[in-house]
C-alpha cells in the first residue's frame, strides 16, 4: 500500500490552477501499480519530466506516477 501524506509539485508557469487536480490524478494513477512491500519514506524526489503544452492533466499525472513507481522500484 502506498500512502502519500503531502505532495509538492513544481509545474511550469501557467499551470498553477491545475496543480491540485494533477496531484489528485497522480494519486489515482498510482493505485494501478502494485508495490511489493510497505515503505516509509520521509521524502521522495523524481527526475523532472517534460510537459508539452498540449499534454492533458491525465497525461501529466500518469508520467509523474510512472516516475514515482520507478523510483520506488529502485528503493525496494
Amino acid at each position: 500500500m502506498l500512502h502519500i501524506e503531502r505532495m509538492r509539485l513544481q509545474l511550469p508557469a501557467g499551470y498553477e490552477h491545475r496543480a491540485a487536480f494533477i496531484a489528485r490524478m497522480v494519486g489515482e494513477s498510482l493505485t494501478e501499480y502494485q508495490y511489493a512491500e510497505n515503505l516509509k519514506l520521509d521524502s521522495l524526489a523524481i527526475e523532472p519530466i517534460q510537459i508539452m503544452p498540449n499534454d492533458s492533466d491525465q497525461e501529466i499525472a500518469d508520467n509523474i506516477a510512472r516516475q514515482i513507481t520507478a523510483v520506488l522500484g529502485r528503493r525496494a
Side-chain angles (χ1 to χ4, degrees):
M1 179 174 152
L2 180 65
H3 172 80
I4 298 175
E5 198 164 308
R6 183 175 59 139
M7 181 182 302
R8 182 175 57 128
L9 297 176
Q10 291 179 291
L11 297 169
Y15 285 75
E16 297 86 359
H17 65 286
R18 296 167 64 179
F21 189 64
I22 291 171
R24 189 171 28 259
M25 293 176 91
V26 168
E28 292 170 4
S29 293
L30 286 169
T31 64
E32 298 189 21
Y33 295 95
Q34 297 294 320
Y35 302 97
E37 61 183 90
N38 289 335
L39 296 173
K40 181 172 174 123
L41 305 172
D42 291 329
S43 66
L44 179 119
I46 62 171
E47 296 292 322
I49 62 168
Q50 184 157 5
I51 297 175
M52 303 305 290
N54 60 340
D55 284 350
S56 70
D57 291 348
Q58 187 65 60
E59 289 171 318
I60 294 168
D62 289 345
N63 285 335
I64 294 169
R66 276 192 292 278
Q67 288 288 338
I68 291 170
T69 299
V71 171
L72 289 175
R74 288 193 296 267
R75 287 178 175 244

